[in-house]
Structures are given as C-alpha cells and as structure tokens.
C-alpha cells in the first residue's frame, strides 16, 4: 500500500474506518442530509467533540435551551478527557470522516491541523460578522489560532497564561516585598526566606508531575527566559545546551530545596490544593488557578497577590493556552457549525454564563470586553487585571531570545512534542525525586530530541 | 463438550455405506444429525465470540506491520518488521517488562497471603461476621481510578495526606513538634502503586479462599483435633492441601488482572520514577506518539508473551490438579 494524499477513498483501511465513522454518525445524528447547507440550516443537527473541562460542561447545559431554541440547530455533544479527545479528533480529522462538525482544538493543534488541511478557515466569516467582533479577541490568542498561511482557523472559548500567585499576608509578616516584575532569582530568594517561616510552610509550588501538559509547561517557560530553547530555527536540538541545562537545574534545585512536599507527583491539582490549604507561600502556574484560589471554598481568598511570570533574560515569560473551536473541513454543515462557534465564542455567551451560572464561571481570557465589564470586575477583581495583562503580553511567535522553528511558548508546535515533552519531563521528574542528576536526565533526553531533529532535518 | 468423535467418515467409506444403506450408515447419519442439533444453537454465540474477540486482534496484527502514525497521514504503508524492531530495541519497553513482572508478582503474592489470613479469620463464627465481610469486600468494589485517586491525594500526599497527618498527630501526642513527613510516592514509587493495588486485590483473593474454606468437610478437622493435632498441623496437613486449588486459581486470576493494570500507574505516578508498566507504555505509544503501528506491535508482543506464560501457568496448575486426583 503506497502512501497517498489525504482525502476520501484512500485504501481499504481508511475507507473501512470512514464507512464505520459514517455509519456511527448516521446512527448518532438521527437525521442526516448528504446535501450541503442550502442556506436553511435550521433543523440541522451538528456533532461537537469537546474536552471535559467544567466550562465545556456548562456550555453543554446551556446549549439546548438557548442556542437550539434560537437557531433550531440541534447539537450532539461528545465529551472526553483531553487525551482521548486528541486521539479521537486526530483519527476523525486525519481521515476527514466528517463525523464531528466542530471540535475543541487548542492552540497546540490548530496550526498543525490547519497545515494538514483538516480545518475550515473561519477568519473571513468572523470578519463579516459584525456582532461577533473579531477585533475584541485578545491579539496573542487570535494569532496563536492563526496558521502559517495567515488565516484564522479556530475561535477561542477561553484562554489562559501563567503568572506568580503569592500570599501577600505571609510576605508582609516576614517583611518581604514582591517586585512588580520579579526575576526567577528574586523569586528563589523569596522562596528561601518564606520556606519554614511558619510551621509546615514551603516556599513555592512548582509542578513536578511528568507530562507535556504538566511539568513540561512551566519548565519550558523557565527555559525560554533563561535563554534556552528545545530547537534552533533549523531544528538542531538544544536539550543539553548550557542554557537549557541551567534553567532545568535552577527549576529542579528550587523545587527540591524550597518546593512543596511530594513534588515529583504534584501537578496543577496538587499545587492548587497546597496553595488553598496554606501549605505553600507562592505558586507559579496557570492564570486559571486564581479563580479557584479566590472562590468561596478557598481558605486563602483575599490573601493572594498576583505578579507577572518571573523572567530572566526576556521581557515576558507567561505561557499561552487556549481551548478553541475548529470546524472540520469535511463537515457538510459548515454554516450550522459556524453558527455554533459564533455563539459559543461570543460576548453574548459570556454574559449568559454570568447571568445564569455566576460571573466566576465565565470562560474568560479571550475578549478584551470582558475585562471592561463591571459585573465581572466585581467577581474577579483581584486577578482580572493581571490575567488580561499576562495573556495580552504573551508572544507565542517569539517567546525566547532566539528565533523558533514552530510557534508555541510552553510547547513546541509540532505533533511530536506531546511525546517528546512527556518523556523528557519524566526524566526531569526523576531528577526532582533525586533519582538522577539534571545532566543525566538531559543526556537521556538528548537522544529523544535528536530523533525529532533528524525527522525534520531530512526533509 | 461431548467427547465423542464426530469426524466424518472418509468419502469411500461413506459411499460404500450409502450404497449398502446399512444400519451402520444410518446410525452414523443420525448420530451426526444429533450432534449438529446439539451444536447448532451454540453456533451464533460462537460466531459472535469470534467476531468480537478475534477480528480486532487480527486487525491489530495487520496494523502492527504497517507504518501508521496519526500525525503523518500522508506517510502510511507497509513497514515489514520495522515496528517489531523498534519494540525490541526500545529501552523504555524493556524496562516496562521488568516493572510489570515485579509489580504483578508482588501484588499477587502479598494480596494472596493477606487474603488467606483474612479468609482464615472470617472462617470462624463471631458476632458481626456479615458486616465485617462486607466491609472487607468493599475495596474491590470501588472503581479502580477512584481508588487510585484516593490513594494519591487522600493518603499518600506529603502535605495534606492522611498518612503524614497521622504521623503528625501521633508525634504531637508525645509532645514532639517535628514529625517525620516522608514523601511516600517519591521515596518508593513502585511500592506506593503496589500498596494501592494490594488493598484492592486482597478482598478478591479473600473471597475465593473463603469459598474454598467453606466448602471443606468439617469432620476431617474434628477427627484430627480428637487425635490431638495442633492448630498448625491442621492448617499444614489439612487446610493447605485442600486450599491449594483455590490458591492457584486466585493467583492465576489475580495475575491476569494485575498484569493489565493501568489506573494506578496512570494516576499515582504518571508512569514516572520507573513505574511505567506495559499497559502504560502502550498507552503512551498510542496517545502521545500516536504511532498506531508501533503500539499494535507492542500489543502483539505482549499478547504472545502472556500466552506463553499463561500456557505454562495453566499446565502447572492442571498437572497439580492431576496429582490431586492420583495421590
């Protein structure tokens, strides 16, 4: 079987898969019209594949009584955990089976999928749509959903960056101040001071759990600002370069000396718990964490300050992540799919969530207008400003001190990165556990990164 | 299954028989018809079983010889033995074989011993036995991933887990303000995974062994007691031989299940610190490398190894059973 160009009718296997997918789609969609949208796309049904985050579950609840009522378009949701979602999505989109009209894609997949020709460009539709107001979308978020051809391929549902969360009261008690734009070495010094200043208090929480979406994310932002990178512009791996090593050693030392207990298994959730329980004085992580810290159940609500992501050699260091909506190119309901995307990413939807479920549950981090909304400011006053600044100042195209071969701040925007980032972070996690040294971990990682280098330099 | 041979007679024989039309042939025909009448109702089930179990495996075998990575849709094709070469030269794969063996053997043996102890205790009559038995079975009924989460967060966590909390409380009783706060999952990651699995599988072992104990005739034990045998002798010469079949069965079933364990490794350590077992390694190949070809090859290799091990295990068990009968 020779490799052939993607498209329908490619070899027995994919044909079988396609047939299966279509059969499934037929059985799930209930009503199916082979014809394209002939303008009257009401009475259509679309299939949406999305990740099982709380904001998406809220969306699912609100869809029937609002979106379907307004447009007559029925929406079937398939909700999956992140890993399963990516797997199902890549299967359906790569064969262009068209089982799902809309899927939640992040800024990691969007440029990759767009380059493979799996997504419909949405930029023109969005530009024509006055009420949608594409200009209101925060610039870094919009550009991270723009492919190499300059077209927008997905519309954001919510966005996040990273910043430093710290306990104002504990800093005051120890007579310390947080600089307006802290460097990593200042943060390490603060962590050393705060560590043990109260019984059972650790200086800082940093992720140590293996995973490209766990440890690899904050670590990569540290690598960027220390002047390191995973790959040079021409795909030479830099995992064991001096800058990468220095950054990794700094991160590992900091978390080993003044970090939370149980660091090698601590991810976002564990750090959030530690911070909420008052076990750590600082936490460098996703801006989304602030909402939980300020919520009613949190012991530290009102006591937390927010500083920009610590830097060393760059001006900014915060990451950028967004869950967005992409429309599959093979979908036969392009218009209905766009109407759903337009609704889910709109200002109106943000207001709807604010009214129906409370402003703290609004999928934020994507529109400038939300941060000018007084009701939202009342709810999220402490972290709204820092969050917007962090997202607005992220530079996914140029996150470090050298040009990059692929977009992405806390990841490298290539399909291989999920695997590479996970395996390398497993080695570094073992270094945090003290099972090996940082140079040992990076020497092992070098081989993995070299494989990716080879794949890209032989093209 | 009927043990009668139902092989059709050779054609020549049949022809002769038909010509003769003798009673012999008729008998054979009715015999065959009877056999089919007995088998026919089972056929749909058999066909269904083959469809749902063997076809996916066949597909896996086929895929294992193809170059198929979801990330490179344009580059699919026949890969010959490349995937298998990659499997055998992959250090992560080799390491995970050792991890799997260690994990499985430890979990099965320890939970078997604990299960035996609990079964022996529960075999006696005491007040509230029903409640105790129910409570002991509970861990086995908890969803595996939920139990793994419970262990990771509620028990092991170094800063807010119950284990370190208890240590703090005990030390405080004695007026000490500086309790040891070990980092369970970091200091002994594999043991942490094993512990949670042992907790889950002990009830299973206990159930099987308890069933074995309750099926024992009590007169032999009473006779032994009359003859002045000590409790240990009774256990050693009466209980244990009787339980051997149940022990083997429990160990075999436990092994089959624990080898496949994924939830505990995935949740507690994310496969870090040398805890990645075979299912987790294959999961990584599928979900992170998106390399279906290589993942299928890994799956095929694991199935073949499991078949080998299972064959030997079953042979040992059945030979022991035969000994039981002859001795």
């Amino acid at each position: 079987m020779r490799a052939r160009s993607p498209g329908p009718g490619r070899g027995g296997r994919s044909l079988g898969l396609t047939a299966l997918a279509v059969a499934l789609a037929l059985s799930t969609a209930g009503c199916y019209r082979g014809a394209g949208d002939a303008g009257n796309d009401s009475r259509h049904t679309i299939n949406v594949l999305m990740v099982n985050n709380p904001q998406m579950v809220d969306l699912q609840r609100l869809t029937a009584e609002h979106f379907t009522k307004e447009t007559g378009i029925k929406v079937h949701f398939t909700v999956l955990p992140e890993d399963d979602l990516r797997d199902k999505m890549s299967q359906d989109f790569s064969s262009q089976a068209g089982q799902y009209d809309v899927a939640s894609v992040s800024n990691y997949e969007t440029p990759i999928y767009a380059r493979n020709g799996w997504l419909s460009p949405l930029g023109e539709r969005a530009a024509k749509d006055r009420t949608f107001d594409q200009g209101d979308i925060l610039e870094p978020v919009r550009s991270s959903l723009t492919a190499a051809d300059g077209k927008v391929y997905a519309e954001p549902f919510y966005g996040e960056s990273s910043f430093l969360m710290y306990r104002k009261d504990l800093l005051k008690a120890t007579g310390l101040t947080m600089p307006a734009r802290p460097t990593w070495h200042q943060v390490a010094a603060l962590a050393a001071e705060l560590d043990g200043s109260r019984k059972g208090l650790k200086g800082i929480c940093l992720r140590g759990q293996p995973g490209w979406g766990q440890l690899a994310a904050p670590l990569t932002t540290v690598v960027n600002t220390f002047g390191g990178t995973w790959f040079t512009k021409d795909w030479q791996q830099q995992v064991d370069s001096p800058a990468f090593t220095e950054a990794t050693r700094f991160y590992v030392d900091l978390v080993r000396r003044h970090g939370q207990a149980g660091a090698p298994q601590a991810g976002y959730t564990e750090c959030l718990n530690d911070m909420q329980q008052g076990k750590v004085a600082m936490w460098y992580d996703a801006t989304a964490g602030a909402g939980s810290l300020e919520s009613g159940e949190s012991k530290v609500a009102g006591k937390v300050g927010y500083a920009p992501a610590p830097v060393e050699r760059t001006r900014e260091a915060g990451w950028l992540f967004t869950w967005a909506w992409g429309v599959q190119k093979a979908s036969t309901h392009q218009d209905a799919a766009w109407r759903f995307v337009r609704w889910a990413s709109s200002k109106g939807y943000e207001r709807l969530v604010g009214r129906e479920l409370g402003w703290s549950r609004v999928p934020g981090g994507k529109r400038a207008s939300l941060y000018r909304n007084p009701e939202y400011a009342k709810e999220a006053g402490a972290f709204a400003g820092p969050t917007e600044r962090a997202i607005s100042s992220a530079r996914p195209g140029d996150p470090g001190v050298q040009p990059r071969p692929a977009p992405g701040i806390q990841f490298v925007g290539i399909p291989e990165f999920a695997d590479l980032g996970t395996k390398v972070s497993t080695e570094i996690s073992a270094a945090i556990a003290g099972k090996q040294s940082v140079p040992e971990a990076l020497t092992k990682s070098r081989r993995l990164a070299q494989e990716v280098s080879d794949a890209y330099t032989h093209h | 299954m009927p043990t009668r041979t139902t092989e059709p007679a050779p054609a020549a024989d049949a022809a002769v028989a038909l010509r003769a039309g003798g009673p012999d042939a008729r008998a054979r025909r009715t015999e065959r018809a009877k056999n089919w009448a007995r088998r026919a109702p089972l056929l749909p089930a058999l066909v269904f079983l083959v469809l749902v179990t063997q076809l996916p495996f066949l597909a896996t075998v086929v895929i294992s010889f193809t170059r198929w990575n979801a990330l490179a849709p344009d580059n699919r094709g026949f890969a010959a033995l490349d995937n298998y070469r990659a499997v055998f030269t992959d250090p992560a794969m080799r390491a995970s074989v050792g991890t799997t063996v260690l994990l499985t053997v430890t979990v099965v043996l320890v939970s078997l011993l604990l299960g035996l102890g609990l079964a022996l205790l529960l075999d006696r009559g005491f007040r509230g036995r029903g409640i105790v038995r129910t409570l002991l079975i509970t861990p086995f009924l908890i969803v595996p991933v939920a139990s793994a989460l419970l262990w990771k967060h509620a028990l092991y966590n170094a800063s807010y887990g119950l284990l370190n909390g208890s240590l703090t409380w005990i030390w405080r009783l004695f007026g000490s303000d500086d309790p040891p706060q070990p980092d369970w999952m970091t200091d002994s990651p594999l043991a942490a995974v094993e512990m949670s699995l042992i907790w889950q599988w002990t009830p299973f072992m206990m159930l099987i062994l308890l069933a074995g104990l309750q099926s024992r005739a009590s007169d032999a034990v009473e006779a032994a007691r009359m003859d002045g045998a000590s409790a240990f002798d009774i256990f050693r010469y009466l209980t244990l031989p009787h339980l051997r079949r149940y022990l083997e069965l429990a160990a075999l079933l436990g092994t089959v299940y624990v080898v496949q364990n994924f939830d505990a490794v995935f949740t507690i350590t994310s496969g870090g610190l040398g805890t990645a077992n075979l299912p987790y390694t294959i999961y990584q190949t599928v979900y992170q490398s998106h390399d279906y070809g290589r993942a299928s090859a890994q799956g095929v290799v694991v199935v073949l190894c499991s078949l080998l091990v299972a064959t030997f295990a079953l042979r040992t068990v059945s030979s022991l059973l035969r000994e039981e009968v002859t001795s």
Side-chain angles (χ1 to χ4, degrees), chain A residues 96-114:
Chain A
Q96 285 292 295
Q99 184 183 346
Y100 299 104
D101 304 293
V102 179
S104 35
V105 286
S106 77
N107 52 330
Y108 171 65
E109 290 95 12
T110 303
I112 299 169
Y113 279 26

Side-chain angles (χ1 to χ4, degrees), chain B residues 165-229:
Chain B
S166 310
L167 287 175
T168 308
W169 178 73
I170 293 167
W171 256 250
R172 210 168 279 162
L173 284 183
F174 294 99
S176 162
D177 218 16
D178 188 25
Q181 297 283 287
D183 189 345
W184 304 92
M185 292 179 291
T186 305
D187 299 340
S188 37
L190 196 59
V193 174
E194 283 163 355
M195 198 53 232
S196 81
L197 286 172
I198 289 166
W199 178 77
Q200 245 196 311
W201 285 97
T202 298
F204 171 82
M205 306 291 185
M206 181 196 82
L207 272 179
I208 293 181
L209 297 177
L210 192 58
L213 283 171
Q214 312 225 313
S215 71
R216 185 174 51 160
S218 55
D219 47 8
V221 178
E222 271 166 36
R225 258 202 211 103
M226 300 288 278
D227 294 342

Side-chain angles (χ1 to χ4, degrees), chain B residues 10 16 55 59 89 103 107 116 155 192 195 269 280 297 299 302 313 320:
Chain B
V16 171
L55 279 186
T89 54
L103 182 80
V107 170
L116 178 64
L155 298 171
M195 198 53 232
T269 56
Y280 188 83
V302 170
L320 287 167

Side-chain angles (χ1 to χ4, degrees), chain A residues 1-306:
Chain A
M1 198 165 106
R2 296 273 328 121
R4 269 167 269 186
S5 64
R10 234 177 344 149
R13 261 222 61 77
S14 56
L15 201 68
L17 272 180
T18 314
L20 194 70
V22 169
L24 274 173
L26 286 178
S27 62
T28 51
C31 69
Y32 173 78
R33 305 191 171 176
D37 293 339
N40 65 335
D41 49 23
S42 58
R43 287 179 308 285
H44 262 313
T45 301
I46 58 168
N47 290 313
V48 175
L49 176 67
M50 65 183 184
V51 70
N52 65 346
N53 291 350
Q55 295 92 331
M56 316 279 180
V57 178
D58 289 344
L59 175 88
Q60 190 177 3
R61 276 179 38 204
L62 294 169
T63 298
E65 57 185 87
H66 295 278
F67 177 71
T68 305
K69 205 178 257 177
E70 288 162 28
T71 61
I73 300 167
K74 275 213 189 74
V75 183
H76 282 298
F77 287 104
T78 306
V79 188
L80 294 171
E82 202 170 321
D83 278 344
D84 300 324
L85 168 103
R86 285 202 168 89
D87 195 51
K88 203 164 202 66
M89 197 160 65
S90 62
Q91 280 177 31
D92 191 51
F93 280 51
S94 65
S95 57
Q96 285 292 295
Q99 184 183 346
Y100 299 104
D101 304 293
V102 179
S104 35
V105 286
S106 77
N107 52 330
Y108 171 65
E109 290 95 12
T110 303
I112 299 169
Y113 279 26
R115 195 178 52 234
N116 290 342
W118 298 346
L119 295 173
S120 303
L122 302 178
E124 276 179 35
R125 283 178 185 267
K128 273 193 222 134
D129 204 317
R130 293 282 293 284
T131 49
F132 184 75
D133 193 3
Q134 178 83 338
D136 185 37
I137 307 267
L138 296 171
E139 173 54 30
V141 176
R142 197 183 57 76
S143 76
S144 78
L145 299 172
T146 306
D149 61 4
K151 290 184 185 158
V152 173
Y153 281 90
E155 291 297 345
F157 184 53
Y158 62 86
E160 66 167 36
S161 178
S162 58
F163 55 19
L164 184 69
M165 295 159 265
Y166 62 93
R167 289 278 301 277
K168 291 183 292 195
D169 54 329
L170 294 178
L171 263 80
K172 203 179 239 156
T174 36
L176 301 167
T177 47
M178 176 64 72
R181 301 174 67 84
T183 67
W184 269 114
H185 283 94
Q186 287 170 330
V187 171
L190 286 172
E193 291 285 337
L194 289 161
D195 193 1
S197 64
R198 289 206 184 170
K199 225 188 74 55
L201 181 75
K202 293 287 186 187
I204 189 165
C205 203
L206 292 170
R207 297 183 191 178
Q209 186 184 340
W212 76 279
Q214 287 285 4
L215 162 61
L219 176 71
T220 301
T221 67
V222 178
V223 167
N224 287 336
T225 196
F226 271 68
T229 178
W230 287 83
F231 298 101
T232 62
K233 182 82 184 145
D234 51 3
W235 293 110
Q236 298 305 310
Q237 68 85 21
Q238 296 289 301
V239 168
D240 54 353
S241 68
F244 199 111
T245 311
E246 190 200 350
T248 310
R249 184 172 284 137
F250 174 87
Y251 189 99
V252 170
D253 284 351
L254 178 56
V255 76
R256 276 178 67 82
R257 283 194 196 126
H258 309 298
Q260 74 282 18
Q265 290 80 28
Y268 173 82
T269 315
E270 288 78 3
C271 277
L272 174 64
N273 277 337
D274 275 337
M275 190 79 184
Q276 275 183 335
Q277 304 287 333
K279 300 269 184 191
V280 291
M282 293 187 282
W283 178 29
Y284 170 62
D285 213 307
T287 51
S292 310
L293 292 182
E294 302 289 355
S295 73
E297 300 95 74
S298 169
K299 284 186 194 167
V300 294
K303 299 176 184 170
V304 185
Y306 302 93

